Amino acid sequence: MRSYFIYITFIFSILIIGCACKRGLVPVKNACPQLRCEMRYATEDNFTGQKLYEDPECLLLASTAGKLVKVQNELQARGLGLKVFDAYRTLDAQKKMWALLPDRHFVEDPDKGPDHCRGAAVDVTLVMPDGTELDMGTRFDEFSEKSRPDFFGL
């Protein structure tokens, strides 16, 4: 009976470690507590009008999180900061987004291995020390010509 208990404990530990590591993702707030996170797709305050995932924790690949921390530190020295609206998202959430807006200028095709689904992409804005968002020319989730990466008229 004791060996059965040890075996079950061992398997359970492997499952917990596997889930916690989630493809090498790390909680960004652990690396950078001063970073502001408002995970919009864990709320109804996004273009879909629905919660696309339950867990509002901001997760990224360790290498991506490190780059984000570096930018946050450089901005903080200038009296600014970052606010994260989206980071890692599940493939299921990506599929829901694509079903509503199948436009590669704004939403990645879930069949193409989106960067968000790997924890390698982040949606951010600039904020003042009190958290006030700076005007970036468009609001979050605006899908117009002005929010395309190749638009330079702001």
Side-chain angles (χ1 to χ4, degrees), residues 9-150:
T9 303
F10 175 73
I11 297 298
F12 187 70
S13 297
I14 289 173
L15 291 173
I16 289 175
I17 291 168
C19 291
C21 290
K22 222 186 241 183
R23 297 183 207 101
L25 301 176
V26 298
V28 174
K29 292 291 276 185
N30 287 0
C32 192
Q34 68 274 25
L35 190 74
R36 296 175 185 272
C37 295
E38 185 181 317
M39 306 304 285
R40 290 279 181 93
Y41 296 113
T43 72
E44 294 175 355
D45 186 15
N46 62 68
F47 82 95
T48 70
Q50 57 187 301
K51 287 174 75 169
L52 294 181
Y53 47 78
E54 292 298 319
D55 188 357
E57 187 170 37
C58 181
L59 300 171
L60 287 171
L61 289 172
S63 59
T64 306
K67 293 171 187 172
L68 198 66
V69 169
K70 184 177 178 183
V71 171
Q72 171 66 25
N73 290 338
E74 289 178 15
L75 286 170
Q76 207 166 342
R78 294 181 168 102
L80 297 170
L82 289 173
K83 179 191 266 188
V84 177
F85 290 123
D86 191 28
Y88 166 77
R89 75 172 74 113
T90 65
L91 184 57
D92 184 53
Q94 188 71 31
K95 287 178 180 179
K96 289 176 185 174
M97 292 171 75
W98 183 254
L100 291 169
L101 186 71
D103 182 338
R104 64 177 179 78
H105 291 106
F106 305 112
V107 177
E108 291 179 284
D109 182 342
D111 293 331
K112 304 276 189 220
D115 290 336
H116 275 287
C117 295
R118 294 183 294 113
V122 62
D123 297 345
V124 298
T125 193
L126 297 173
V127 294
M128 299 298 292
D130 67 357
T132 304
E133 295 175 18
L134 273 62
D135 182 359
M136 302 296 287
T138 65
R139 60 180 173 71
F140 176 74
D141 266 1
E142 179 177 316
F143 303 116
S144 71
E145 182 181 330
K146 289 196 299 186
S147 57
R148 288 179 48 158
D150 58 355

